[in-house]
């Protein structure tokens, strides 16, 4: 009853002169079950309006009132008892009902089937989302929201702890506050099941949006068949389906219901003034929708642009139709005022959004009031519509200039927003819906199937219809469609919003095409014969949908399959583009287990990868998925670099894993890190990147950062040697190898990051995981000393250890003549030294030849370091030729001897047997003492010629030659060093 009653009230409000003729119609309908057009006092145009408004319906070739009691209640309210016992619609006390479109049995089945399609096409990624006991959300950004919701759950006191709303994690209160807060609250409601809430919320959003689309479509077209078709089209549109797919917990799906609610409220407020109390409910719905859009996303105000455009167009339409803009637009003003109030309240109470963003609904309200005032003035002074349009344009320009001048912070944000829309690159959703290699015509197919091509002609027809006649509901839907089409052409991120309105006009197009091929009646908007209803012959549509005949059903289904074919084919593809590949999840699961075995904690277990999946990896490995900024800023530079050692040193304290995928689209030239990581040798040539896992198809690999085992040995000079063997990765063995040059000094050395058994010249070397992880030396040298550095190379940057392979790198020192061959010369500067790796020997013998050029000291230089371990001095020359011997890493003072002279070669040796220190000069003992100390701690390296601190004032000046180090304290010094 309420639909017919409201339609009759609206008709009489527009055409009060029809009241007497409607009473005559009542009399005819009371006398006859059905009647013909000739039996009633109406011309064809007015009768067609009765049919289009649903007051009159056709049955068995004749007509009747759809609800005689409802018409009677309007014409004579006192004569009809208002029986609401069967009215299930929502109503205000003592007022008209807020009715949704009636749903008969056939409609319910059709709508239910369309909603089932919505769910079906959104749960396609089920097997990808639920893997191995984990909820694997799709995409990358959802893992940031997952992190934030988990943080809120950990800090909140439960579902009633509303203080959480004002304590959102940093930055979110100005980003997506309502979205994150809603996810937190619902997760609390479901006992903290945040992972499942995030996985299923997009599907729930899709169903709610689809229901709103149905109501919106029926209100715009007055045709439930179109509403069902619209929902079915929305179900299979890839651009909407994948963004509301199971597991894709991005903020986009949260935006769609608010947008659909706002559009529905705008349509429902069309031609309703505040004297109709149902207007207040739709105004409330508009306020809620506007506030939801604004608070859900920091760019939410952008979704209000269609509403602003609609206001600018509907006011001239009202004036042209002889309607009062103030009365007709009061509902819009009330709704916007509520929305602005809700947003301002959340901003003030919880700190949500910046002042500039929170002010947008208020500015829209002010602009709407201004447009209505201009319309009222135009109506009052009867100056015509064109001046009104010009005045609106001028007001818009003046308003923009005022904002720029008076609100510089807002204008700055607007400028940044425009730049983001027009200039952002490198992210898939920032491209246009008509961009891509497939071309501007085929490109939209991947987001809309055929739906967009079906919808656009009807959108154009609807726009022309709105230009020719006053139809604010259709105007609102058209404006929303055009604005989001324009935004979609700028950035594909708006394809989901556009899909809502493509569904409306695509549904209209589908029913019209079906009628054109004689499968059904024409849509209500087109009249019974397919023409504009103003030229209708007065035929009506059945009030309730009827089951189609078998032939019609089969052909309609075939038509639906044809229209939806590309959408149904492309939707699974779009889902697959955002779901997490099995290999990524398997890699993340491996890294999580590996990090647990190593007892790594964040940031030691940080995963370094391409930014597009960086949050995914880090969520599963360490739970820190808030940001991918570090990966976005550094990963591409890393993989395109050719200096793996430099990046190893940069990443060492920040990165635990490097995750890579095959086929990175780079072309840096040379032997980049990426090329070496993806070579057949599993990154063997990178020195510091150990392959620990590879997918079954070897499309993805995981590396850890390691010092690498140092493998060295003697070989023929100036030739390449081959180091090859079987390396282990993920429980599998792979054959790897590399060529190493021996140089002019006949020594090969390589850093091996992969455990395994390697063939080297004259033997094999076993490299363990501990060797790789701790940077141990694996040497093929077999001298009688622990280490011997003759310093006889005479050139180059290496001082080779010919006994144990502890080769030293030369820094700043110069090659010079020695006693019999070459030596190294130092001038006492901080940057002059030789550094070699070493173990912490507990008992040792150290000997060397020295020819100092200076032993003098000053107030700042009272000794000169000759040998110094990382954790303390070992051998020092002092003024007047004194020799100081200390033990590294422990106390115990020093023992002092003498006998060193400038510009003379002197052999100095020191020994420690765990209890006694001894100094020898040219084979003769010159000093000894007993000392009680703990374990010696040399550190990881030893230096000759200077200390470790920089700047250093204690550098050795002179030449050094033939430095030897033995394990154990030796007493045969003269024989050992050839001094006899």
């Amino acid at each position: 009853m309420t639909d017919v009653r409201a339609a009759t009230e609206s008709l009489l409000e527009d055409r009060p002169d029809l009241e007497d003729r409607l009473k005559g119609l009542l009399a005819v309908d009371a006398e006859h079950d059905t009647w013909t057009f000739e039996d009633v006092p109406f011309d064809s145009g007015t009768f067609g309006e009765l049919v289009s408004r649903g007051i009159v319906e056709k049955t068995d070739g004749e007509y009747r009132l759809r609800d005689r009691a409802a018409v009677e209640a309007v014409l004579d309210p006192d004569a009809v008892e208002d029986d609401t016992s069967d009215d299930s619609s929502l109503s205000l006390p003592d007022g008209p009902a807020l009715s949704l479109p009636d749903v008969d049995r056939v409609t319910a089945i059709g709508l239910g089937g369309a909603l089932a399609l919505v769910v079906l096409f959104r749960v396609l990624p089920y097997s990808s989302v639920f893997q191995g006991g984990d909820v694997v959300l799709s995409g990358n950004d959802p893992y940031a929201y997952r992190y934030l919701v988990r943080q809120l759950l950990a800090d909140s006191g439960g579902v009633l702890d509303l203080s959480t709303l004002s304590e959102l994690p940093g930055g979110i209160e100005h980003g997506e506050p309502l979205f994150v807060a809603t996810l937190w609250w619902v997760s609390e409601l479901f006992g903290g099941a945040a992972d499942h809430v995030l996985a299923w919320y997009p599907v729930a959003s899709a169903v709610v949006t689809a229901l709103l689309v149905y109501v919106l479509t029926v209100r715009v077209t007055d045709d439930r068949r179109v509403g069902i078709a619209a929902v079915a089209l929305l179900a299979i549109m890839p651009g909407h389906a994948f963004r509301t797919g199971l597991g894709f917990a991005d903020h986009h799906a949260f935006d769609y219901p608010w947008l659909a609610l706002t559009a529905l409220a705008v349509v429902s407020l069309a031609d309703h003034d505040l004297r109709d109390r149902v207007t207040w409910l739709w105004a409330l719905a508009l306020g809620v929708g506007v506030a939801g859009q604004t608070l859900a996303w920091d760019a939410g105000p952008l979704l209000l642009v269609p509403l602003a455009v609609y206001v600018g167009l509907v006011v001239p339409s009202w004036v042209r139709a002889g309607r009062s803009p103030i009365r007709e637009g009061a509902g819009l003003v009330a709704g916007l005022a509520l929305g602005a109030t809700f947003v301002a309240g959340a901003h003030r109470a919880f700190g949500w959004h910046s002042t500039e963003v929170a002010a947008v609904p208020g500015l829209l309200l002010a602009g709407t009031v201004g447009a209505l005032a201009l319309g009222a003035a135009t109506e009052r002074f009867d100056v015509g519509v064109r001046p009104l349009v010009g005045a609106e344009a001028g007001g818009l320009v003046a308003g923009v200039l005022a904002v720029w001048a008076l609100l510089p912070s807002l204008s700055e944000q607007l400028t940044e927003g425009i730049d983001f829309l027009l200039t952002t690159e490198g992210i898939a959703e920032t491209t246009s819906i008509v961009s891509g290699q497939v071309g501007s015509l085929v490109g939209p197919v991947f987001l809309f199937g055929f739906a967009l091509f079906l919808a656009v002609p009807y959108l154009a027809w609807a726009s022309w219809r709105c230009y020719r006649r006053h139809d604010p509901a259709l105007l609102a839907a058209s404006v929303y469609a055009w604005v989001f089409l324009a935004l979609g052409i700028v950035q594909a991120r708006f394809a989901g919003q556009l899909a809502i309105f493509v569904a409306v006009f695509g549904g209209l197009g589908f029913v019209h095409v079906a009628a054109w091929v004689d499968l059904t009646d024409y849509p209500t908007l087109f009249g019974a014969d397919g023409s504009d209803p103003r030229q209708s012959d007065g035929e009506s549509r059945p009030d309730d949908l009827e089951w189609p005949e078998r032939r019609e059903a089969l052909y309609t289904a075939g038509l639906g399959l044809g229209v939806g074919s590309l959408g149904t084919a492309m939707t699974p593809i779009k889902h697959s583009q955002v779901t997490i590949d099995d290999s990524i999840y398997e890699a993340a699961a491996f890294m999580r287990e590996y990090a647990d075995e190593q007892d790594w904690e964040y940031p030691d277990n940080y995963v370094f990868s391409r930014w597009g999946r960086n949050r995914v990896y880090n969520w599963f490995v360490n739970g820190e998925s808030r940001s991918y900024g570090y990966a976005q800023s550094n990963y591409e530079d890393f993989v395109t670099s050719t200096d793996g050692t430099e990046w190893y040193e940069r990443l060492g304290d920040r990165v635990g894993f490097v995750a890579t995928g095959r086929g990175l689209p780079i072309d840096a030239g040379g032997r980049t890190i990426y090329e070496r990581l993806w070579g057949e040798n599993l990154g063997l040539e990178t020195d510091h990147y150990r392959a620990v896992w590879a997918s079954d198809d070897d499309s993805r690999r995981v590396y850890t950062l390691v010092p690498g085992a140092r493998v060295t040995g003697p070989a023929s000079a100036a030739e390449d040697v081959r180091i090859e063997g079987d390396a282990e990765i993920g429980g599998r063995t792979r054959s790897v190898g590399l060529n190493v040059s021996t140089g002019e000094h006949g020594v090969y050395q390589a850093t091996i990051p992969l455990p395994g058994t390697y063939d080297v010249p004259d033997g094999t070397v076993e490299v363990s995981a501990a060797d790789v992880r701790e940077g141990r030396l694996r040497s093929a040298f077999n001298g009688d000393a622990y280490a011997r550095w003759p310093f006889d190379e005479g050139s180059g940057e290496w001082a080779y250890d010919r006994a144990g392979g502890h080769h030293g790198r030369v820094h700043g020192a110069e090659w010079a003549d020695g006693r019999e061959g070459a030596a190294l010369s130092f001038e006492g500067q901080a940057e002059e030294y030789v550094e070699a790796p070493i173990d912490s020997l507990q008992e040792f013998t150290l000997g060397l030849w020295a020819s100092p050029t200076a032993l003098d000291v000053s107030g700042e230089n009272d000794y000169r370091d000759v040998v110094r371990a990382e954790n303390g001095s070992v051998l020092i020359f002092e003024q007047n030729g004194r020799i100081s011997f200390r033990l590294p890493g422990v106390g115990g003072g020093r023992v002092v001897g003498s006998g060193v002279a400038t510009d003379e070669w002197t052999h100095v040796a020191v020994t420690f047997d765990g209890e006694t220190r001894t100094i020898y000069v040219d084979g003769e003992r010159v000093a000894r003492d007993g000392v009680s100390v703990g374990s010696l701690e040399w550190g990881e390296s030893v230096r000759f010629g200077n200390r470790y601190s920089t700047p250093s004032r204690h550098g050795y000046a002179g030449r050094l030659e033939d430095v030897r180090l033995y394990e154990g304290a030796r007493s045969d010094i003269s024989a050992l060093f050839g001094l006899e």
Side-chain angles (χ1 to χ4, degrees):
M1 175 177 176
T2 53
D3 279 354
V4 175
R5 181 171 181 169
T8 306
E9 288 174 341
S10 177
L11 175 66
L12 287 177
E13 185 180 328
D14 296 340
R15 299 280 305 275
D17 57 298
L18 296 179
E19 183 174 352
D20 291 339
R21 281 186 277 176
L22 279 175
K23 290 179 179 178
L25 176 59
L26 268 176
V28 172
D29 193 74
E31 293 178 5
H32 306 281
D33 290 335
T34 59
W35 32 265
T36 65
F37 169 66
E38 289 77 10
D39 296 330
V40 294
F42 294 99
D43 57 57
S44 61
T46 305
F47 186 75
E49 191 167 2
L50 290 174
V51 174
S52 65
R53 288 179 182 256
I55 299 171
V56 170
E57 64 180 5
K58 187 175 183 180
T59 177
D60 297 329
E62 295 190 338
Y63 299 93
R64 68 182 180 186
L65 284 174
R66 180 181 170 195
D67 191 334
R68 187 190 310 160
V71 177
E72 216 167 8
V74 174
L75 296 174
D76 190 1
D78 296 332
V80 178
E81 180 180 356
D82 187 9
D83 181 7
T84 60
S85 60
D86 294 328
D87 189 358
S88 60
S89 58
L90 177 64
S91 63
L92 287 172
D94 300 321
L98 173 60
S99 62
L100 298 177
D102 292 336
V103 179
D104 56 78
R105 182 168 178 269
V106 177
T107 301
I109 294 174
L111 179 58
L115 291 174
L117 279 180
V118 171
V119 175
L120 173 63
F121 278 91
R122 277 137 187 91
V123 299
L124 293 176
Y126 188 91
S127 61
S128 296
V129 174
F130 297 102
Q131 297 189 57
D134 286 314
V135 176
V136 186
L137 300 180
S138 303
N140 196 46
D141 289 349
Y143 288 85
Y145 302 120
R146 191 175 195 172
Y147 170 85
L148 294 169
V149 173
R150 281 284 186 90
Q151 291 293 106
L152 289 175
L153 288 172
D155 297 337
S156 72
V159 71
L160 298 179
D161 183 11
L162 298 184
S163 64
T164 304
L165 300 178
S166 58
E167 299 173 356
L168 299 180
I172 291 301
E173 71 275 10
H174 288 177
E176 299 91 10
L178 181 61
F179 173 50
V180 174
T182 301
L183 289 177
W184 157 75
W185 190 83
V186 175
S187 297
E188 285 280 20
L189 197 63
F190 282 91
D195 293 347
H196 286 82
V197 168
L198 266 73
W200 285 102
Y201 114 78
V203 181
S205 171
V207 173
V208 172
T209 303
L211 285 170
L212 291 171
V213 165
Y214 171 78
V215 179
L216 171 65
T217 305
V218 174
R219 287 201 172 275
V220 170
T221 65
D222 195 26
D223 196 316
R224 280 164 287 177
R225 298 168 303 158
V226 178
I228 294 171
V231 174
L233 277 179
L234 185 69
I236 61 174
M237 267 191 277
H240 189 274
F242 89 89
R243 286 201 179 278
T244 53
L246 179 69
F248 195 51
D250 206 345
H251 71 86
H252 293 280
F254 189 73
D255 298 334
Y256 301 150
W258 301 112
L259 174 63
L261 177 62
T262 303
L264 174 60
V266 171
V267 167
S268 299
L269 285 169
D271 288 332
H272 279 75
D273 60 54
L274 293 181
R275 293 178 300 178
D276 186 352
R277 279 174 288 182
V278 73
T279 302
W280 285 102
L281 291 178
W282 284 117
L284 175 61
L286 176 60
V288 171
V290 167
Q293 287 180 227
T294 306
L295 296 172
W297 180 33
D298 55 352
L302 189 62
L303 305 184
L304 298 177
V305 170
L307 180 51
V309 176
Y310 168 73
V311 169
L313 294 176
V314 77
V315 171
S317 185
W318 280 327
V319 171
R320 185 178 63 178
R323 307 291 183 87
S324 167
I326 298 298
R327 186 176 64 197
E328 302 294 337
L332 281 176
V333 171
L336 289 174
L338 287 171
T341 301
F342 294 152
V343 172
H347 173 67
R348 185 176 181 84
F350 308 129
W352 287 3
H353 280 318
S354 64
T355 302
E356 293 77 17
V357 171
V360 171
L363 292 175
L364 179 57
L365 171 63
T368 300
V369 171
L372 293 177
L374 286 173
T378 301
E379 180 186 37
R380 177 179 180 84
F381 295 105
D382 194 23
V383 297
V385 173
R386 289 186 179 180
L388 170 59
V389 174
E392 284 186 331
L396 175 62
V397 173
V400 171
L401 293 177
V403 167
W404 242 254
L406 301 177
L407 300 172
S409 58
L410 177 57
S411 63
E412 181 179 349
Q413 285 202 5
L414 289 173
T415 302
E416 291 176 356
I418 293 172
D419 288 342
F420 176 79
L421 281 175
L422 299 180
T423 63
T424 303
E425 297 179 353
I427 302 175
E429 64 182 14
T430 63
T431 60
S432 170
I433 63 172
V434 295
S435 67
Q437 297 179 351
V438 293
S440 58
L441 292 179
V442 180
V445 168
F446 293 97
L447 291 171
F448 302 97
F450 285 133
L452 183 62
F453 299 102
L454 178 62
V456 167
Y458 291 90
L459 173 58
W461 169 85
S463 303
W464 176 252
R465 173 188 169 104
C466 293
Y467 175 74
R468 299 285 296 182
R469 62 176 292 182
H470 178 64
D471 194 335
L474 191 60
L475 174 64
S478 301
V479 167
Y480 269 89
W482 284 120
V483 170
F484 283 110
L485 178 59
L487 289 173
I489 290 174
V490 175
Q491 286 196 0
R493 71 169 68 240
F494 297 103
Q497 287 89 343
L498 174 58
I500 293 173
F501 303 98
V502 168
V504 174
F505 292 99
L508 177 63
F510 178 81
V511 175
H512 185 263
V513 171
W516 183 63
V517 295
D518 201 25
L519 295 177
T520 186
D521 293 329
Y522 280 96
T524 303
L525 282 176
F526 287 88
D529 61 354
S531 63
D532 191 298
R534 291 174 297 174
Q535 288 84 44
S536 172
D537 61 2
E539 294 186 8
S540 67
R541 304 290 175 270
D543 181 48
D544 293 336
L545 296 186
E546 298 178 354
W547 288 109
E549 296 179 0
R550 182 177 180 181
R551 170 189 168 275
E552 293 174 342
L554 290 175
Y555 281 110
T556 302
L559 179 62
L561 289 174
V563 171
S565 58
L566 273 178
T568 56
M570 293 306 305
T571 295
I573 295 175
K574 294 301 293 183
H575 279 306
S576 68
Q577 291 174 346
V578 296
T579 53
I580 303 305
D581 185 85
D582 290 349
S583 64
I584 293 178
Y585 170 69
E586 291 167 3
F590 166 81
M591 287 185 280
R592 178 173 58 191
E593 181 178 355
Y594 186 96
D596 289 343
E597 291 174 353
Q598 304 297 321
D599 291 327
W600 287 354
E601 295 183 357
Y602 187 81
D604 292 338
N605 56 358
Y606 173 80
V607 183
F608 189 49
S609 69
R610 294 190 75 187
W611 69 269
R613 288 294 180 263
N614 189 254
R615 283 172 167 156
V616 181
Y617 286 125
N618 282 289
W619 170 261
F620 287 110
V621 178
N622 53 60
E624 297 291 333
S625 57
R626 175 71 183 271
S627 172
Y628 52 69
Y630 184 80
Q632 187 179 36
S633 300
N634 294 283
Y635 185 76
E636 189 163 345
D637 291 339
F638 162 72
V639 293
T640 56
S641 171
T642 58
D643 193 337
T645 299
E646 177 191 1
W647 275 97
Y648 165 72
E649 293 171 353
R650 287 178 58 178
L651 300 176
D653 296 331
R654 182 69 171 79
V655 170
F657 299 98
V658 176
T660 69
R662 185 184 295 276
L664 187 69
I666 60 173
D667 183 16
R671 292 289 291 163
T672 64
I673 295 174
Y674 176 81
E675 289 170 325
R676 282 178 278 172
L677 292 177
W678 279 100
E680 292 297 322
N681 284 327
L682 297 174
L684 183 67
E685 306 97 327
T686 63
D687 294 351
H688 302 293
Y689 303 89
R690 175 191 173 188
V692 291
W693 181 87
S695 59
D696 291 339
D697 61 356
D698 200 26
S699 64
R700 200 166 304 279
R701 294 177 182 176
V702 173
Y703 292 82
T704 60
L705 275 66
V706 293
R710 290 169 288 117
V711 176
T712 185
S716 301
E719 70 175 28
D720 287 348
V721 299
R722 181 74 176 172
I723 299 177
E724 58 185 6
D726 295 327
E728 300 175 3
I729 174 173
R732 288 171 289 175
T733 301
R734 293 273 295 267
S735 296
V736 295
L738 72 162
N739 294 325
V740 180
S741 174
T742 61
E744 61 179 310
H745 304 298
V747 174
Y748 69 86
Q749 57 179 331
T751 301
I752 303 296
L754 295 173
T757 301
Y758 293 90
D759 293 327
V760 297
D762 301 325
T764 61
V765 173
E766 294 286 343
V767 176
S768 69
D771 294 336
V772 168
R773 188 169 56 249
E774 298 174 14
R776 295 175 181 172
L777 175 67
R778 308 300 294 170
S779 174
F781 286 99
N782 192 24
D784 60 350
Y786 171 82
R788 181 182 181 184
W789 297 275
F791 294 167
D792 61 359
E793 288 79 14
S795 63
E797 62 174 328
W798 289 97
Y800 294 108
D801 169 15
R802 303 286 178 168
H806 306 84
H807 306 311
R809 189 180 291 271
V810 180
H811 297 268
E814 299 290 338
W815 294 101
D817 293 334
R819 294 177 306 115
E820 298 178 352
L824 275 173
S825 176
F826 306 82
E827 295 184 1
Q829 302 301 314
E831 65 276 7
E832 294 180 344
Y833 57 89
V834 177
E835 184 170 7
I838 196 172
D839 296 325
S840 288
L841 304 178
Q842 298 304 303
E843 299 180 11
F844 63 91
T845 298
L846 170 68
L848 54 80
W849 288 94
S851 176
T853 57
L855 294 172
D856 56 304
V857 297
S858 65
E860 295 183 346
N861 180 21
D862 56 0
Y863 63 87
R864 296 177 183 271
D865 272 305
V866 181
V867 180
R868 186 178 182 92
E870 189 174 1
N871 290 330
S873 297
V874 178
L875 184 62
I876 293 171
F877 289 172
E878 299 182 8
Q879 194 172 18
N880 299 323
R882 294 199 307 172
I883 303 167
S884 176
F885 175 27
R886 299 173 181 265
L887 298 176
V890 297
R894 61 179 178 167
V895 60
V896 178
S898 61
V900 177
T902 59
D903 298 321
E904 293 184 11
W905 283 104
T906 304
H907 190 272
V908 178
V910 295
T911 67
F912 176 64
D913 62 5
E915 296 179 352
T916 305
R917 292 180 295 198
T918 306
I919 301 176
Y920 298 87
V921 174
D922 290 332
E924 300 292 331
R925 187 177 73 195
V926 297
R928 170 180 285 183
D929 73 344
V931 61
S932 178
V933 296
S935 298
L936 306 187
E937 295 293 340
W938 293 69
E940 295 183 356
S941 64
V942 64
R943 282 188 179 182
F944 310 116
N946 213 322
R947 61 189 296 140
Y948 281 79
S949 61
T950 302
S952 171
R953 298 183 298 273
H954 304 288
Y956 169 71
R959 290 174 291 172
L960 291 179
E961 185 180 327
D962 197 12
V963 180
R964 304 188 200 181
L965 183 61
Y966 295 87
E967 292 189 80
R970 305 287 291 269
S971 59
D972 54 338
I973 299 299
S974 295
L976 185 66
F977 291 100
L979 303 177
E980 298 176 338

